[in-house]
Amino acid sequence: MQFLRRTGLILLWCAAPVVAVAAANKNDPYLIPLRGGGNIALIIASIAIAVLLLRRGRWHSLSGRLLVMLWCLPPMLMAAAHFSFELRKHDVLSADVAEARQLGPHFMVGYSSFPEVLRLAEQGLIGGVYVTRHNIRGQSVDALRAEIAALQDVRRAAGLSPLIVATDQEGGIVGHLAPPLTKVPALATLSGLAPEDQQARAEEFGRIHGRELVSLGVNLNLAPVLDLKPPQRRNRLDFHTLIGQRAIATDPAVVSTIATAYVRGLEESGVGATLKHFPGIGRVRTDTHHFNAKLDTPVRELEATDWLPFREVLSQSHSALMVGHITLTAVDPDRPASHSKRVVDGIIRSTWKYQGLVMTDDLVMGAIYQHDVCKAVVEAINAGVDLLLVAYDGAQFYRIFGCALDGSRQGKLDAAMLRASAARLERGLPIAQARASSGAVRVVEKN
């Protein structure tokens, strides 16, 4: 019995700091499973343990008092973390109209609470929403369609431009709305077919995705993946990127052929495509969901291989471009490509002459969020990025938007870059631009 008591005390001493750290970081993306009921359970358990220790007379010794105080810390730390979050949220929601209208269009946010995202949409604090499997879990397709329609209705009523509504429907292992939408095979399954069959099947996959997404009100698909399939097995700690299963092929020509046809099918259905993840993560073994990653390949080699599909598909479509969180060391060794001016403005805008929409990968990923996220936000805007994605954990929007607010108030944002980006965003989604242009041509021809 004495052994069990000592073992129990040791476990309590070990658990107390862990629980305290979890309480102090209750809003961290890694602790999403603890939110709501988990946080309540943690508080109740902490208080119960403190009371039990007091009832057992532990307060009469110095070590006992310290242990009791340790178990009193989690509720206080959690309350402080909640208060800090609410202050940040209040600051964002109370931003004046000019600030909201200037910065809001640059943010796309995932959400769990519809009333909360409805308020953000109405106030102009966001320019887009990202929907995924938890938005459709436990409800019908019609319910999600109604939510998206309601969001667009409040935008119209507020005199704001329509929201960009995005999702991840790549096919294969990434199909965040399938089911209930159709589960389409990965584009990689087409790589062994003859070129004509590759194009026909890929275009059909694009039409399937496009028809179903446009019927929901989704107007941008975060697909296709243009990273080249890695020739070697990736790091065993890569649980999320899984690019070996998502990439189309190792041959840039095959990737270009299949991706171009897929994008054509999407666009014909009225949904825009997003090419990802420039500058290419096929050569990188580290998972940027959690860690920093470097791409050390010379630019000349990348231009001749990895970047060929990006340039080819961009030249034949109206796609947006997603920039990943890997560091392109030959161009900018000091920061990830997603917020590097040398990469975005230097390569994409100046060298490639691409003036469509550029967006970041999810800023909640560890390669960004676990570092100076405010610096990343300011640098991304100043680099010419149009959309900053906050997908996995929508609650982080308040912190990330707060970074942009602080940057604006401190004069850190490049006014010229903001104006150029605003012009691109005002033109709307690339597919909408294309339709408007073709419509104008038809009117001229009729006249």
Side-chain angles (χ1 to χ4, degrees), residues 283-297:
R283 296 175 184 261
V284 177
R285 301 192 74 229
T286 308
D287 184 354
T288 53
H289 287 83
H290 307 290
F291 309 106
N292 296 337
K294 292 184 178 181
L295 178 59
D296 296 322
T297 310

Side-chain angles (χ1 to χ4, degrees), residues 127-345:
V129 292
Y130 169 81
V131 294
T132 187
R133 55 175 58 92
H134 69 252
N135 296 110
I136 209 161
R137 188 181 296 129
Q139 68 174 358
S140 66
V141 172
D142 289 338
L144 180 58
R145 182 183 296 113
E147 282 187 0
I148 294 171
L151 288 170
Q152 301 292 24
D153 286 343
V154 300
R155 297 288 286 192
R156 280 191 291 272
L160 296 165
S161 59
L163 289 172
I164 298 172
V165 183
T167 193
D168 269 313
Q169 287 289 92
E170 297 174 10
I173 63 171
V174 178
H176 291 173
L177 297 180
L181 301 189
T182 303
K183 189 169 180 61
V184 172
L187 291 174
T189 60
L190 308 180
S191 61
L193 302 178
E196 298 80 10
D197 294 331
Q198 288 175 353
Q199 293 181 55
R201 294 289 301 280
E203 189 169 338
E204 178 58 23
F205 286 1
R207 281 196 293 268
I208 292 170
H209 278 157
R211 285 194 300 265
E212 295 188 337
L213 293 178
V214 81
S215 72
L216 272 179
V218 173
N219 47 35
L220 182 67
N221 192 12
L222 304 187
V225 168
L226 296 192
D227 311 285
L228 297 188
K229 189 182 286 289
Q232 59 184 2
R233 186 174 179 178
R234 287 179 67 88
N235 191 333
R236 290 182 180 180
L237 296 178
D238 176 11
F239 301 116
H240 294 96
T241 302
L242 301 173
I243 203 63
Q245 299 178 55
R246 297 165 62 197
I248 296 171
T250 56
D251 184 346
V254 173
V255 175
S256 298
T257 297
I258 292 175
T260 298
Y262 174 79
V263 169
R264 185 164 56 246
L266 270 181
E267 291 185 344
E268 286 176 357
S269 304
V271 175
T274 308
L275 314 184
K276 60 186 187 184
H277 310 78
F278 184 81
I281 58 178
R283 296 175 184 261
V284 177
R285 301 192 74 229
T286 308
D287 184 354
T288 53
H289 287 83
H290 307 290
F291 309 106
N292 296 337
K294 292 184 178 181
L295 178 59
D296 296 322
T297 310
V299 168
R300 182 175 297 179
E301 184 177 344
L302 292 170
E303 285 277 14
T305 54
D306 299 53
W307 294 357
L308 285 176
F310 288 98
R311 300 197 71 170
E312 178 70 17
V313 181
L314 284 176
S315 70
Q316 299 188 51
S317 70
H318 305 279
S319 302
L321 181 64
M322 177 184 285
V323 184
H325 300 317
I326 61 173
T327 301
L328 184 58
T329 56
V331 176
D332 190 345
D334 300 320
R335 57 187 55 77
S338 55
H339 55 99
S340 168
K341 189 168 185 176
R342 295 180 192 174
V343 174
V344 178
D345 189 49

